[in-house]
Amino acid sequence: MNKPTTAPDASAASPPVYVDPLVLEREVKNYGELDRLLKAVPGPAILFEEGPLDGPVRGFGAMEKVPAAGQYTVTAACVGASGAKVSVGQEHPGAPFQPLELALDCAGSTSKVIELEQGYIFAHLDLPGPGDTPWTGAVGGVRVTGPLAAAEGGR
């Protein structure tokens, strides 16, 4: 008999959503473009983080130590989406908590110079939509760089 079984149809009705090789390939290309955008700003990085904007595991959060007080450049970018937002900041006892939010249009990178104190800096990706959005391979990231003198501790 050449009658097809129902088992393949049942599995075809609910395929694994996050195993699409074309989306994986697009995501790899998007990460390459994201790296190019984020690394365009010279200087040593004290924080560098990237992550997907959609898909099974999305977003990122990172925390790194700021070696010395001074001016640092925050560069953020996204590729393959219509927009995203990255928040970067520090908490200090007695000071109001006011993270820097960079809205991204995913057409290039956005940079801003900020004053940081010695201590820890955090960065996280604010996701553009609900968790059930389709996986497209869109990615976002942030890189914080400091002047060479500040990175060496000024000694």
Side-chain angles (χ1 to χ4, degrees):
M1 287 187 199
N2 290 338
K3 186 176 176 183
T5 64
T6 58
D9 292 338
S11 67
S14 58
V17 178
Y18 302 113
V19 187
D20 185 339
L22 295 176
V23 175
L24 287 172
E25 183 178 317
R26 186 178 318 124
E27 187 176 73
V28 168
K29 287 180 183 176
N30 287 346
Y31 273 120
E33 175 64 11
L34 182 63
D35 283 346
R36 186 189 68 74
L37 291 169
L38 293 177
K39 293 177 180 176
V41 175
I46 63 165
L47 184 145
F48 182 75
E49 191 71 26
E50 298 176 325
L53 293 176
D54 52 27
V57 179
R58 58 192 205 125
F60 64 74
M63 185 170 65
E64 292 293 337
K65 189 168 186 164
V66 177
Q71 291 189 332
Y72 291 80
T73 303
V74 177
T75 304
C78 58
V79 177
S82 59
K85 186 168 51 170
V86 171
S87 295
V88 177
Q90 288 186 301
E91 287 190 71
H92 299 287
F97 180 62
Q98 298 177 331
L100 168 69
E101 292 184 350
L102 295 172
L104 309 174
D105 66 5
C106 296
S109 64
T110 300
S111 291
K112 183 163 177 93
V113 175
I114 62 172
E115 189 74 28
L116 295 175
E117 298 297 323
Q118 185 175 7
Y120 286 90
I121 182 174
F122 77 86
H124 71 268
L125 181 62
D126 296 326
L127 300 168
D132 59 353
T133 56
W135 186 32
T136 66
V139 297
V142 64
R143 184 169 181 251
V144 179
T145 56
L148 186 58
E152 292 175 350
R155 292 186 183 203

